[in-house]
Amino acid sequence: MQGSEEFSTQVFDALARRRGITAQVLTRDQVLDFWEQLANRSFDARLQTFFDMVDKNADGQISKDEIKEMLQLTASASNLTKIEEKVDEYASLLMEVLDPENLGYIEVQNLQNVLLPVGQSQLQQETDLTGTTGLVPTKEGDPIRRFGKKFSYFLSDNWKRFWVMTLWLCICFGLFTWKFQAYKRNPTFQVMGYCVTTAKGGAETTKLNMAIILLPVCRNSITWLRSHTKLGLVVPFNDNLNFHKVIAWGVAVGAGLHIIPHLTCDFPRILHETDEEYSKYLAQFFGSKRPPNYWWFVKGVEGITGLILTICMVIMYVLAQPLFRRGKLSQKNRLRQLTGFNTFWYSHHLFIVVYITFIVHGVCLYINRTWYKKTVVMHRGNVLAIYMTKPHGFKYKSGQYIFVNCAAVSPFEWHPFSITSAPGDEYLSIHMRCRGDWTLGVRNSFREFCQTPTSGQSGLLRANFTDSNTSAPKLLIDGPYGAPAQDYWKYDVLLLIGLGIGATPLVSIIKDTLNNYQAKKNGDKSSSNLRRHDFVTERAYFYWVTREEGSFQWFRGLMDDAADKDNEGIIELHNHCTSVYERGDARSALLVMLQELYYAKHEIDILGQTRVRTHFARPNWTQVFKSVAQNHPDKRVGVFYCGDRSLEKELKWLSQDFSHKTSTRFVFHKENF
């Protein structure tokens, strides 16, 4: 059996008790008998197995103590601390429902009366999901057709990148060719040959790339172009960082084509050329007296600036590689002290030196915002939520992000965080997962001002700040800046998928979608940040997948607010806790029953403590896409995903496959940080 050894032992003991087996070794017939009961998927067989596991003394009755013991085991196996803390209360709730006559015990018939409707509902749901054929992704057997399908998918998804890269490469090639041909007519070609033409061609491409390398990281300009022009229809603004890296490699290639021919070919040829040839072709450039040695080229202005350029660029390139930028070197490696994000960040500021020396050899605009009031909340899972008064004139769209600076931690570091508030809210909010040095530093800076929240307030610790808190840490914000999710309103249907803290850019979309839909319906333009005729979204599905039950507290207010305001069912919320085994598994049967009873009594989910019910285990993404395709034929569905890269490939493939097999068009977007 897959699972914990403790659970396997519980199953064995339950089956053995029912058959009166005391030996630890089974006969062949007994093994077969065990197997038949475990393999039987009928409701009665599974219920009997579960009952036998709880009934420790095999008397056909389950007492409250046995319920508590099984509930404790289930909560411990699923790492549900809140359930463990209130085991006695929840056991009493179960006994209250399952033992209405106060006999002090539960029989199998009592369980059957409660669980049978749940089992039948689950069976019907599985039948509905698997009843439709033809929508399951298939693998093409013919390799040629498979390649053709993948290539068509590639062109369909990457045509924007393709034409931009083609244009850039053509310009680079054109400049190189133009300078290459120009120096073939230069007198120096007679001595240095194709070495000088290659070096000058490489220098020309480097000029271009040095001129445009900062454009992809000019966040204000890209945000303005994305928001106020139609260029987003043909320009892949979402790949700005990737294009920045591509241009950087273009600079490296151009610099290599410039440096290597000079050092290994041009300079040696000048030193070893005959006096007659030197006077005829080179004297006008290098002086009537031939350079005496190699050092003459190095000690000049061109040599010194070239050396400074090379050293600075090598440092920037090396420390920008993932191995160094993310600190992946082993603990024993002495170079580990020189790695990490701080090293990458500071070393990248050598670009100032690079540009100055590049000009000899051949500014960053921030919108600082201040505010007079902010609230800091520390949640479970080491998540820090910051709510601040929206600065005057500060406008943004759902899905956008801002850069945050905390001088108390580092005066020069700026880190991006998705905006979790909606444009219509009176405040601005972000949620940060405290893992790295900087985020932990921010958390610790605010911790000393925090106190235990009062009744009705969320979080583990909480603090409110105003202008009077002169000793409180100061924050600066830079932005907002554009992101893939900000164009959500262009799609008929939204499929929002967030893993853990990756839900942050999607939370704002949920609130804004509901606000815009209601404003469009009521004809109230003032309450909507979009023009009514532009907003086309009709339905949104939100899937939030996390391992920790405490994560659902981060956006508890949003969940309850959406459930209260969404009278027409525009937003469909799905919270998934992956630390709990899926429905139908014996290890979660008691928890499923407790969840149903608790929600029926309080209308609150027992795990999330919200009105949104929590699902167990991971979603079946194929069934999710199938359901959306069936419910929304001939519609454009925007799939917005933010989370670990491990799921990105599967979601992208499902978007492509269902777009080609159904009339529903799925457009996949991945949030970048």
Side-chain angles (χ1 to χ4, degrees), residues 246-300:
V246 169
I247 298 174
W249 284 112
V251 171
V253 172
L257 292 174
H258 179 73
I259 296 172
I260 295 174
H262 272 335
L263 297 181
T264 63
C265 181
D266 293 338
F267 297 165
R269 287 189 178 185
I270 295 173
L271 295 175
H272 295 91
E273 190 54 75
T274 63
D275 292 338
E276 181 181 357
E277 295 293 320
Y278 178 84
S279 300
K280 183 178 181 180
Y281 299 113
L282 302 177
Q284 57 182 311
F285 302 104
F286 297 96
S288 57
K289 185 178 180 180
R290 182 200 303 270
N293 50 44
Y294 204 92
W295 176 247
W296 184 90
F297 298 101
V298 178
K299 69 179 182 180

Side-chain angles (χ1 to χ4, degrees), residues 89-378:
E89 176 185 343
Y90 295 146
S92 299
L93 173 61
L94 291 171
M95 291 296 296
E96 176 184 338
V97 176
L98 299 175
D99 182 22
E101 299 180 4
N102 295 321
L103 299 177
Y105 59 83
I106 301 171
E107 296 181 336
V108 68
Q109 184 62 37
N110 301 113
L111 285 176
Q112 188 175 24
N113 293 337
V114 175
L115 290 179
L116 184 57
V118 177
Q120 291 176 338
S121 175
Q122 178 68 15
L123 180 61
Q124 181 63 38
Q125 182 181 8
E126 294 176 355
T127 303
D128 293 342
L129 290 176
T130 58
T132 303
T133 60
L135 296 181
V136 180
T138 57
K139 184 176 180 180
E140 181 64 55
D142 187 348
I144 297 179
R145 291 185 177 180
R146 184 165 63 248
F147 174 79
K149 179 184 291 186
K150 290 184 178 180
F151 185 70
S152 65
Y153 287 173
F154 174 81
L155 289 181
S156 176
D157 289 341
N158 298 281
W159 66 270
K160 294 181 182 180
R161 301 185 184 98
F162 183 79
W163 85 260
V164 171
M165 286 296 299
T166 301
L167 177 63
W168 175 70
L169 289 173
C170 288
I171 294 176
C172 289
F173 180 77
L175 289 173
F176 181 90
T177 303
W178 169 67
K179 187 63 70 171
F180 187 93
Q181 294 296 331
Y183 266 80
K184 286 180 66 175
R185 299 185 294 270
N186 190 282
T188 57
F189 180 75
Q190 304 303 321
V191 176
M192 292 181 274
Y194 288 104
C195 294
V196 69
T197 56
T198 302
K200 293 301 181 180
E204 200 66 20
T205 62
T206 303
K207 292 178 186 178
L208 167 70
N209 291 323
M210 287 293 290
I212 65 175
I213 191 171
L214 294 182
L215 293 181
V217 290
C218 290
R219 298 184 295 268
N220 287 312
S221 299
I222 291 180
T223 300
W224 189 89
L225 290 173
R226 181 199 294 270
S227 303
H228 296 84
T229 69
K230 300 294 185 179
L231 289 178
L233 298 175
V234 294
V235 178
F237 287 121
N238 299 338
D239 292 319
N240 60 318
L241 291 181
N242 291 332
F243 191 49
H244 172 74
K245 297 175 184 177
V246 169
I247 298 174
W249 284 112
V251 171
V253 172
L257 292 174
H258 179 73
I259 296 172
I260 295 174
H262 272 335
L263 297 181
T264 63
C265 181
D266 293 338
F267 297 165
R269 287 189 178 185
I270 295 173
L271 295 175
H272 295 91
E273 190 54 75
T274 63
D275 292 338
E276 181 181 357
E277 295 293 320
Y278 178 84
S279 300
K280 183 178 181 180
Y281 299 113
L282 302 177
Q284 57 182 311
F285 302 104
F286 297 96
S288 57
K289 185 178 180 180
R290 182 200 303 270
N293 50 44
Y294 204 92
W295 176 247
W296 184 90
F297 298 101
V298 178
K299 69 179 182 180
V301 175
E302 297 88 346
I304 292 176
T305 54
L307 184 62
I308 294 174
L309 278 170
T310 303
I311 293 174
C312 291
M313 292 176 69
V314 168
I315 293 174
M316 293 171 66
Y317 276 72
V318 171
L319 296 180
Q321 301 308 306
L323 182 66
F324 293 90
R325 178 165 53 89
R326 298 179 180 177
K328 292 184 177 181
L329 295 179
S330 63
Q331 296 287 346
K332 298 180 180 179
N333 196 318
R334 296 180 179 180
L335 294 177
R336 182 177 175 83
Q337 300 297 326
L338 301 177
T339 64
F341 183 84
N342 285 351
T343 305
F344 156 75
W345 178 258
Y346 293 127
S347 66
H348 241 53
H349 282 73
L350 289 173
F351 81 91
I352 301 174
V353 179
V354 168
Y355 271 101
I356 294 175
T357 53
F358 186 79
I359 294 174
V360 175
H361 189 82
V363 166
C364 195
L365 178 64
Y366 292 112
I367 303 178
N368 293 330
R369 305 288 185 180
T370 58
W371 52 88
Y372 64 88
K373 183 179 179 181
K374 56 182 177 288
T375 299
V376 175
V377 182
M378 295 186 183

Side-chain angles (χ1 to χ4, degrees), residues 478-498:
D478 172 23
Y481 298 112
Q486 76 173 57
D487 296 327
Y488 79 92
W489 50 273
K490 298 179 181 178
Y491 295 95
D492 302 308
V493 180
L494 302 179
L495 180 55
L496 311 174
I497 302 173

Side-chain angles (χ1 to χ4, degrees), residues 421-450:
S421 56
D425 293 335
E426 295 298 324
Y427 60 90
L428 185 69
S429 67
I430 60 173
H431 288 67
M432 63 175 69
R433 187 71 176 267
C434 301
R435 284 183 174 176
D437 295 339
W438 188 86
T439 50
L440 289 173
V442 173
R443 183 200 65 180
N444 295 334
S445 298
F446 284 106
R447 183 192 292 272
E448 62 181 286
F449 298 93
C450 293

